[in-house]
Amino acid sequence: QFLYFIGTTSRRMASRLWIFVAGVVASAVLSAAAVMPGSGVGTLHLLNGTDPTAVCLDGSPGAVYVIPSPAGSTHSHDWIFFLQGGGLCTSNATCIERSFTPLGSSKSYPPQFPSDQLGGILSRNCTFNPELCEYNIAHVQYCDGFLWSGDRTGSYDADGVPLYFRGNAIRRAAIDFLAAEYDTFSNAKSIMLSGCSAGGMGTLMHSSADAAYLRASFSGLSQAKIKAVPLSGMFLTLPNADWVPVVAPLALGMVPVANATGSFSRTCLEQTPGPMQYLCFTALQSYAYSTVPTFVLNSKSDHWQVTCTILGVPVPGAEQCLGIPRYVQSGCGVHRNFASCNASLMEPILNFQHSFTTHLAASRGFLRAGNGAFISSCYTHCEGLDHYWGDVTIGGVSMQQAVLAWWNDADSTAPPAKHTYVDCDRTDAAAPFTCNPTCREDRERDGPVAISRWQ
């Protein structure tokens, strides 16, 4: 929710604000003393004992919280391996700022947190989230600053401040730790690879490599079901409403700094001409070359992409979300509000939903057997982590029902249409410019999700 402040101040100041507030609130909630009976507790595990090089931006150890399956559960050998989200840094200044927050350092992580703070796909409420509510959860903390993709050896000198981009090492160390400490992981029946926002894109980019590593490294996983469910991770590289590139050039400019080329799909690199190989760092290309059954859960009116890409403007080293003056002045698109929009202001927003659907439908991933998707029209982001998970429906089927039906379908050759749900298109007829009444964009999101929602 804190991204809403960005439109009223500079991006640099906003970056400090939302990262700081998100970190403080997340830490405060994580530190809450009250734990509901039977809800379980997540326990922090630092990864320096597994791999000393698996470190955050500031050099502190990477970390994972483990929430075990309830005692006696039939799902004791089922896991959700979840990559936390939280944007990315795109310059020396923003990366330095980030290194002093929970999104760049593990120094302030509390040792435990109540798992009843988790929502959506991670919810422990079995009425709201049947079956998955009993899975073990490995919640890997996002602190490398660059989409789980950094693979730089040693530190990077950012204006005299040493920074570490070790997202790849953190993911691998988390896997190695879990396999060493939990027999239920090294001999799991199933592992769902997931994450939201930056974690969702990280899932799209790395699920193939991570699944291959799991099977090659641990014999007990040779027959395990391993699938991917990225949430709000399908980021498009589009210009803003004034046809000015905003986010994509910034992110691509960080690739050599983080030495993220090693995160690109090898097959994509081999099949893509040299000057175009940067496309292998995009969500769509990662999806196209993925070898893991994947269910994309995303909105074609994704709130973050609309506000920060379509309605954003570039500023030195970053982007200013909701920065285009006519949107700032009218309030169109702010706080999920379209009441102040007219047809002209809505046109770029509606064009985005069309571009999203068109690009996704043209991807080889969207057409691959065994895959599925739930593409809503709701003006949301990381909706798979809160009440939207059970409330939003397409053709009478909720996100939760769609994901679970796909997850439990053993037919890897099933046509993607079997498990694909694409919502109606918003129209330019009149405010509130919506088409799916179950989106309920006037409804406040449920209470805080401790370590997952701050995207």
Side-chain angles (χ1 to χ4, degrees):
Q1 323 296 23
F2 298 105
L3 282 171
Y4 293 144
F5 292 116
I6 291 178
T8 60
T9 184
S10 74
R11 179 62 175 86
R12 180 71 57 81
M13 292 177 64
S15 172
R16 293 172 179 165
L17 176 63
W18 80 262
I19 291 176
F20 174 75
V21 175
V24 170
V25 175
S27 295
V29 176
L30 282 166
S31 302
V35 179
M36 295 299 291
S39 63
V41 173
T43 301
L44 176 69
H45 300 279
L46 299 177
L47 299 173
N48 51 317
T50 303
D51 180 359
T53 73
V55 296
C56 302
L57 273 173
D58 70 339
S60 59
V64 58
Y65 281 95
V66 176
I67 304 98
S69 177
S73 171
T74 58
H75 294 291
S76 61
H77 284 68
D78 297 311
W79 284 77
I80 299 175
F81 184 83
F82 192 88
L83 302 180
Q84 183 188 19
L88 75 163
C89 56
T90 52
S91 65
N92 283 359
T94 58
C95 290
I96 291 171
E97 290 171 348
R98 190 182 186 93
S99 72
F100 290 98
T101 77
L103 291 174
S105 173
S106 64
K107 293 178 181 178
S108 64
Y109 294 167
Q112 292 183 326
F113 78 93
S115 61
D116 63 324
Q117 294 290 336
L118 298 175
I121 197 171
L122 302 179
S123 173
R124 307 311 262 178
N125 182 330
C126 292
T127 301
F128 178 69
N129 188 35
E131 184 176 327
L132 299 182
C133 64
E134 295 191 15
Y135 281 30
N136 302 281
I137 298 173
H139 196 291
V140 194
Q141 296 301 101
Y142 180 40
C143 63
D144 87 310
F146 199 62
L147 305 173
W148 296 96
S149 300
D151 199 27
R152 188 182 186 91
T153 301
S155 64
Y156 167 72
D157 185 350
D159 300 328
V161 178
L163 297 176
Y164 301 83
F165 296 92
R166 300 292 295 161
N168 268 333
I170 293 173
R171 291 192 344 270
R172 290 292 168 86
I175 290 172
D176 290 344
F177 168 81
L178 293 167
E181 296 295 323
Y182 296 90
D183 176 73
T184 57
F185 185 86
S186 58
N187 293 283
K189 291 191 300 183
S190 70
I191 300 176
M192 178 185 290
L193 304 174
S194 189
C196 197
S197 193
M201 186 164 176
T203 301
L204 280 167
M205 295 178 66
H206 306 303
S207 58
S208 295
D210 288 348
Y213 180 77
L214 284 162
R215 295 195 192 280
S217 302
F218 311 105
S219 59
L221 298 177
S222 60
Q223 300 301 314
K225 174 173 67 177
I226 302 177
K227 296 183 178 184
V229 185
L231 314 178
S232 300
M234 189 60 72
F235 292 94
L236 302 187
T237 54
L238 297 176
N240 70 6
D242 291 333
W243 295 96
V244 177
V246 180
V247 179
L250 294 168
L252 291 171
M254 286 295 294
V255 169
V257 173
N259 191 34
T261 309
S263 297
F264 294 7
S265 162
R266 307 322 307 170
T267 306
C268 180
L269 289 173
E270 291 167 3
Q271 298 183 8
T272 305
M276 303 298 290
Q277 286 186 343
Y278 74 92
L279 291 172
C280 296
F281 190 64
T282 64
L284 276 170
Q285 287 296 87
S286 297
Y287 181 43
Y289 286 95
S290 175
T291 58
V292 174
T294 301
F295 190 100
V296 172
L297 200 161
N298 223 103
S299 170
K300 56 182 171 180
S301 300
D302 183 83
H303 177 264
W304 194 94
Q305 294 189 69
V306 169
T307 56
C308 296
T309 299
I310 305 304
L311 308 183
V313 296
V315 295
E319 83 279 358
Q320 180 180 340
C321 301
L322 281 171
I324 296 178
R326 60 185 180 277
Y327 289 92
V328 176
Q329 294 161 9
S330 68
C332 174
V334 181
H335 293 283
R336 289 183 278 176
N337 172 33
F338 294 114
S340 59
C341 300
N342 56 35
S344 176
L345 290 171
M346 280 298 296
E347 184 177 1
I349 299 172
L350 299 177
N351 285 344
F352 172 78
Q353 74 173 359
H354 175 73
S355 295
F356 187 95
T357 306
T358 302
H359 282 78
L360 186 66
S363 170
R364 283 183 287 178
F366 194 72
L367 304 174
R368 185 174 295 120
N371 283 356
F374 190 101
I375 309 300
S376 80
S377 62
C378 305
Y379 192 43
T380 56
H381 186 67
C382 283
E383 57 274 17
L385 294 178
D386 55 28
H387 69 83
Y388 289 99
W389 173 246
D391 291 356
V392 173
T393 62
I394 299 175
V397 179
S398 70
M399 294 182 195
Q400 178 272 321
Q401 292 168 332
V403 170
L404 199 60
W406 168 83
W407 175 251
N408 287 324
D409 191 341
D411 184 5
S412 61
T413 65
K418 181 180 180 181
H419 296 292
T420 295
Y421 304 81
V422 179
D423 207 355
C424 52
D425 283 342
R426 292 172 176 271
T427 70
D428 58 0
F433 303 100
T434 188
C435 65
N436 185 340
T438 67
C439 287
R440 289 291 307 279
E441 290 159 356
D442 59 324
R443 174 177 171 177
E444 287 296 324
R445 287 183 149 187
D446 295 342
V449 173
I451 51 180
S452 304
R453 187 174 295 167
W454 313 115
Q455 315 305 338

